Amino acid sequence: RNMSKLSSLWRSVTGPAEPLSEEQLRHQEQQRTALLKRVSLAVKQIQLDSCHIEGDDVGQSTRVIKDGLDATQLLHSFEAILEHGLLEGMLSFGGKPTFWPLIGRVSRKQAVQYLTRLQNVTSSAGRCRAWLRLAANESSLQSYFLVLCNDKDLLREFYGGHAFLLDDDKIAVLCNLLNGVNMISFSLTVDDSSLEFEPMADSLP
């Protein structure tokens, strides 16, 4: 595929990666641990929110999370994981690397077409955020991450070896967290112009 050819070309141009020092390896492990802690806290908060808004009727199980700070924090924590370790240069499109090309490899064709036709979201980064919202609305976040993490060859086309998604231990914990997220219903706005901009640092955990 085209992206596979681009990945091979990029690696041939940049050459083999330099061996990492113990300090660099330790720093990367700390980064992955921090990302996991961040998503864990965000999942716990959204679970609390879903319990608070649950109906008073006995036996009611519908829990719907709508647009708000906690939902933004949750999805931004997933965005940070998907961005971690992305190969520089090949996916940057003149700026910060995005995982939009990867989305096209794992998503339904109809979903990709829908996202590319949004009126208020036109950048690659914005479409990545819109995709996360769409996946949450469809209760598909866990299944998408499982597809990604079970295809190491695909991941290595897009990510360096230090990437969160290539850390089996961290991924096992993440998938357990996602199991809890899948039990919650979301109704988030997908075609939202605010997705064109990265959330402010002071609004994130």
Side-chain angles (χ1 to χ4, degrees), residues 159-179:
Y159 293 94
H162 66 287
F164 185 102
L165 293 179
L166 288 168
D167 185 325
D168 291 338
D169 292 336
K170 298 289 190 298
I171 285 300
V173 178
L174 177 65
C175 287
N176 284 332
L177 291 170
L178 282 164
N179 190 49

Side-chain angles (χ1 to χ4, degrees), residues 8 11 15 29 35 46 59 71 74-75 77-78 87 92 119 121 123 141 148 153 160-161 165 184 192 203 205:
S8 298
R11 291 178 189 276
E29 171 63 20
L35 287 168
I46 212 74
L74 175 71
L75 296 184
S77 69
F78 290 133
L87 293 176
S92 298
Q119 297 296 309
V121 182
S123 69
L141 282 169
L148 282 172
D153 289 338
L165 293 179
I184 300 171
D192 186 340
S203 72

Side-chain angles (χ1 to χ4, degrees), residues 18-196:
E18 292 289 333
L20 298 177
S21 66
E22 288 188 11
E23 182 178 353
Q24 288 173 315
L25 290 171
R26 184 164 54 251
H27 176 66
Q28 291 179 352
E29 171 63 20
Q30 290 171 346
Q31 282 187 326
R32 293 191 295 270
T33 298
L35 287 168
L36 186 60
K37 180 178 179 180
R38 177 177 164 186
V39 74
S40 177
L41 291 172
V43 168
K44 289 177 181 177
Q45 183 58 54
I46 212 74
Q47 288 175 322
L48 286 174
D49 292 347
S50 71
C51 291
H52 290 161
I53 64 176
E54 187 175 5
D56 295 329
D57 294 340
V58 176
Q60 182 170 340
S61 59
T62 300
R63 305 177 178 186
V64 180
I65 297 293
K66 298 187 177 181
D67 297 336
L69 178 60
D70 289 339
T72 297
Q73 290 177 339
L74 175 71
L75 296 184
H76 198 266
S77 69
F78 290 133
E79 179 184 354
I81 283 174
L82 287 162
E83 287 179 344
H84 185 255
L86 276 172
L87 293 176
E88 296 286 345
M90 184 176 64
L91 304 175
S92 298
F93 299 113
K96 182 180 178 181
T98 80
F99 52 91
W100 176 246
L102 180 62
I103 290 173
R105 298 282 293 273
V106 299
S107 299
R108 294 176 292 106
K109 180 179 179 180
Q110 296 89 334
V112 174
Q113 290 176 339
Y114 167 72
L115 292 168
T116 56
R117 292 170 183 167
L118 295 176
Q119 297 296 309
N120 298 306
V121 182
T122 58
S123 69
S124 296
R127 286 170 178 162
C128 288
R129 297 180 188 116
W131 174 79
L132 283 166
R133 288 190 170 207
L134 181 63
N137 289 345
E138 295 178 344
S139 299
S140 299
L141 282 169
Q142 184 183 42
S143 61
Y144 276 129
F145 272 93
L146 286 173
V147 167
L148 282 172
C149 297
N150 286 329
D151 193 338
K152 300 298 185 185
D153 289 338
L154 176 63
L155 288 178
R156 291 189 182 99
E157 289 182 31
F158 293 87
Y159 293 94
H162 66 287
F164 185 102
L165 293 179
L166 288 168
D167 185 325
D168 291 338
D169 292 336
K170 298 289 190 298
I171 285 300
V173 178
L174 177 65
C175 287
N176 284 332
L177 291 170
L178 282 164
N179 190 49
V181 174
N182 261 18
M183 299 173 66
I184 300 171
S185 296
F186 292 84
S187 181
L188 306 175
T189 305
V190 175
D191 194 5
D192 186 340
S193 60
S194 70
L195 300 182
E196 291 288 273

